[in-house]
Amino acid sequence: MKTPLVTVDIIIFTVMEKDLKVLLIKREIDPFKEKWAMPGGFIKIDEPLEEAAKRELYEETSVKDVYLEQLYTFGGIGRDPRARVITVSYFALINSNEVKIKASSDASDVRWYAVKQLPELAFDHRKIIEYALKRLRWKLEYTTVAFKLLPEKFTLTQLQEVYEIIFDKELDKRNFRKKILSLGLVKETKETQKEVSHRPAKIYSFNRSIGIGEIVEIF
Amino acid sequence: MKTPLVTVDIIIFTVMEKDLKVLLIKREIDPFKEKWAMPGGFIKIDEPLEEAAKRELYEETSVKDVYLEQLYTFGGIGRDPRARVITVSYFALINSNEVKIKASSDASDVRWYAVKQLPELAFDHRKIIEYALKRLRWKLEYTTVAFKLLPEKFTLTQLQEVYEIIFDKELDKRNFRKKILSLGLVKETKETQKEVSHRPAKIYSFNRSIGIGEIVEIF
DNA sequence: CCAAAAGTGTTAGTGATACACCCATGT
DNA sequence: ACATGGGTGTATCACTAACACTTTTGG
């Protein structure tokens, strides 16, 4: 029986330099040579899907330890000019600290692009990124995944910036804090910001008694 | 290159006889001979995924014209004892009127089962149904899909019953009506219920200016 | 006139929004 | 002392939740 090929693709987001970014790789082979694409590739016959996604991400970008969830399976005919290929796409988040270490890990053909300034993309990857972006906004509104875009310890202003950047909208500082604190999502640490030329902010950490990705209506 | 096989499976829900039901088929061949399974099967090499889902559903159960959306892609190794099989599952809703015509369409080995009384299921289908049920509850809360479980014209009590059955929880009649009417989800028709031995209810229809499945916070 | 389900308003409480000033630190 | 971002409270409005009786029809 003829059966389609199966790939996984990973769309990984981070917040960096006050911008929402995705990690892309420049293709070195046809089809779509020289175009940019999300990390991904064919799955192995004895490999679970999510593991394949992690493996491809690590092989191609040296990025690991990310929040990962399945996004959608794209299976239109003609996605790939060579053959029928079905791709199971995964949605990943990583915090900007780890990114600094890993993004430049190999050649310069792996880059973080601001989602507002994407280059020409291979396959149907633009469509996939748009879909992922909707999911990301939804996830921020209704779950606690935002914390996966921040390091272990953060200030409330940093947290608010994550929301503002992704929603592309300013939020009221007082109301934001009231909401986050009343939901008990974070706990204070004893630390404060260092070496800032203004009043230092309190440092918080995520309240681990609430699961990351758990459904909590935030806005 | 070795590549997995790809199937689609459809989990179709309806509300019937004051119960939430799913359509299952008794398998006539191994593996899992005599066990019940969701409709589905291998996709064709030149067939879009969603079309494959519709085709399998129609071939196996004569059910068509359903609300259909992709649910999740299950790809664990060992799902199918014969080979590596990845299944793209679809989530479908149909209203109980159409069901009456079509459910008994062929042999008695196609049956609607109450989700609370499922028989022994093939493959990982129980897990898939549980996942679908969570999605269904979520969809009812945040979108307008409930209307896909009702005929074109319905009473508010019928609508409320759909919610009560799926949430497995009683709702306040006055508050429910206030909410539905204030969201403008329905419009009154000129008709009323006939041949009931009590005050006849007004008949409503879905307000088509709001898309089915559109996100609207209902509860 | 009885049974059955339809239909309808008010109140109290909770959460959302809008808004402006003082505080702590480094230079 | 000034510049910078950190941190805080209150009032209004909208929405939610709880709750019981009257209406219309058929039998």
Side-chain angles (χ1 to χ4, degrees):
Chain A
M1 181 174 7
K2 291 191 81 167
T3 189
L5 301 174
V6 181
T7 60
V8 288
D9 282 308
I10 304 96
I11 167 153
I12 176 161
F13 289 107
T14 200
V15 171
M16 231 173 124
E17 298 154 6
K18 312 249 171 196
D19 238 335
L20 177 63
K21 309 215 166 180
V22 293
L23 192 58
L24 298 176
I25 298 176
K26 195 185 224 173
R27 286 180 62 83
E28 290 174 343
I29 52 163
D30 267 318
F32 299 103
K33 193 173 169 185
E34 308 289 307
K35 297 281 186 288
W36 292 81
M38 294 160 12
F42 294 99
I43 72 162
K44 296 184 175 166
I45 193 74
D46 57 354
E47 180 184 48
L49 288 171
E50 189 165 318
E51 220 168 89
K54 281 182 191 157
R55 177 182 53 75
E56 292 284 356
L57 183 62
Y58 184 69
E59 282 176 13
E60 297 188 345
T61 69
S62 310
V63 168
K64 60 180 179 176
D65 297 325
V66 298
Y67 172 84
L68 193 70
E69 68 172 47
Q70 193 181 297
L71 179 64
Y72 196 80
T73 299
F74 294 87
I77 54 178
R79 288 187 61 249
D80 187 317
R82 294 165 297 182
R84 177 76 192 283
V85 180
I86 286 171
T87 193
V88 183
S89 60
Y90 278 81
F91 169 97
L93 302 176
I94 195 167
N95 85 61
S96 43
N97 275 8
E98 308 209 34
V99 156
K100 277 170 203 148
I101 307 165
K102 290 168 183 158
S104 57
S105 54
D106 66 14
S108 67
D109 55 359
V110 178
R111 277 193 51 190
W112 290 97
Y113 273 97
V115 292
K116 279 178 266 172
Q117 290 147 34
L118 293 177
E120 265 198 88
L121 297 180
F123 305 105
D124 51 358
H125 287 189
R126 182 173 294 270
K127 189 173 102 188
I128 298 179
I129 291 177
E130 273 160 25
Y131 186 81
L133 194 50
K134 275 191 222 162
R135 175 88 133 245
L136 176 63
R137 293 203 171 110
W138 185 85
K139 283 253 147 190
L140 251 70
E141 224 175 308
Y142 293 106
T143 78
T144 57
V145 291
F147 296 99
K148 282 290 173 188
L149 293 166
L150 289 171
E152 277 293 306
K153 295 174 176 184
F154 49 84
T155 67
L156 293 180
T157 300
Q158 284 178 295
L159 181 61
Q160 186 174 341
E161 276 168 0
V162 165
Y163 277 89
E164 289 182 333
I165 288 164
I166 292 171
F167 291 161
D168 199 14
K169 179 177 152 188
E170 293 196 355
L171 299 173
D172 180 87
K173 186 162 53 158
R174 279 174 289 196
N175 293 337
F176 181 83
R177 285 162 183 244
K178 235 179 298 174
K179 193 73 208 253
I180 298 296
L181 294 173
S182 75
L183 290 169
L185 298 181
V186 296
K187 47 178 202 285
E188 252 182 86
T189 67
K190 283 154 204 156
E191 301 167 60
T192 56
Q193 254 180 345
K194 298 290 181 230
E195 297 164 20
V196 284
S197 74
H198 55 77
R199 176 170 174 178
K202 285 184 205 161
I203 306 283
Y204 290 81
S205 66
F206 179 63
N207 179 353
R208 304 212 140 271
S209 69
I210 297 167
I212 285 262
E214 196 172 306
I215 293 195
V216 176
E217 278 196 32
I218 296 181
F219 290 107
Chain B
M1 182 172 9
K2 293 191 79 167
T3 190
L5 302 174
V6 181
T7 60
V8 288
D9 281 308
I10 304 96
I11 167 150
I12 177 162
F13 288 108
T14 200
V15 170
M16 231 175 123
E17 299 154 6
K18 312 248 171 196
D19 237 336
L20 177 65
K21 308 215 168 181
V22 293
L23 191 58
L24 297 174
I25 299 176
K26 195 184 224 173
R27 287 180 62 84
E28 289 174 345
I29 52 166
D30 267 320
F32 298 104
K33 193 173 169 184
E34 309 288 307
K35 297 282 185 290
W36 293 80
M38 293 158 16
F42 293 99
I43 72 163
K44 296 185 176 163
I45 192 75
D46 56 354
E47 181 183 46
L49 288 171
E50 188 164 319
E51 220 168 88
K54 282 183 190 155
R55 177 181 54 74
E56 292 284 354
L57 183 63
Y58 184 69
E59 282 176 13
E60 296 188 346
T61 68
S62 310
V63 168
K64 59 178 178 175
D65 296 326
V66 297
Y67 171 85
L68 192 70
E69 67 172 48
Q70 194 181 298
L71 179 64
Y72 196 80
T73 299
F74 294 87
I77 55 178
R79 288 187 59 248
D80 187 318
R82 294 165 299 182
R84 177 75 192 281
V85 180
I86 286 172
T87 194
V88 183
S89 60
Y90 279 81
F91 169 97
L93 302 176
I94 195 169
N95 86 58
S96 43
N97 274 7
E98 308 208 34
V99 156
K100 275 170 205 147
I101 307 164
K102 289 165 181 159
S104 57
S105 53
D106 67 13
S108 66
D109 55 1
V110 178
R111 276 193 50 189
W112 289 98
Y113 272 97
V115 292
K116 278 178 269 173
Q117 289 148 35
L118 294 177
E120 265 198 273
L121 297 179
F123 306 104
D124 51 358
H125 286 190
R126 181 173 294 268
K127 189 173 101 186
I128 299 178
I129 291 177
E130 272 160 27
Y131 186 81
L133 193 50
K134 276 190 222 163
R135 174 88 134 246
L136 176 63
R137 294 203 170 110
W138 185 84
K139 283 253 147 191
L140 252 71
E141 222 174 311
Y142 294 106
T143 77
T144 57
V145 293
F147 296 100
K148 282 288 171 187
L149 293 166
L150 289 171
E152 277 293 306
K153 295 172 176 186
F154 50 83
T155 67
L156 293 181
T157 299
Q158 283 178 294
L159 180 61
Q160 185 174 342
E161 276 168 359
V162 165
Y163 277 88
E164 289 181 333
I165 288 164
I166 292 171
F167 291 161
D168 199 13
K169 178 177 152 187
E170 293 196 354
L171 299 173
D172 180 87
K173 184 162 55 159
R174 280 173 288 192
N175 293 338
F176 181 84
R177 286 162 181 243
K178 236 177 298 175
K179 194 72 207 254
I180 297 297
L181 295 172
S182 74
L183 290 170
L185 298 181
V186 296
K187 48 179 204 282
E188 252 183 85
T189 66
K190 283 156 202 153
E191 302 167 58
T192 55
Q193 252 179 343
K194 300 286 181 236
E195 296 164 21
V196 284
S197 74
H198 55 76
R199 175 169 176 178
K202 284 186 204 160
I203 306 284
Y204 290 81
S205 66
F206 180 63
N207 178 355
R208 304 213 140 270
S209 68
I210 298 167
I212 284 260
E214 196 172 306
I215 294 195
V216 176
E217 278 198 32
I218 297 182
F219 292 106

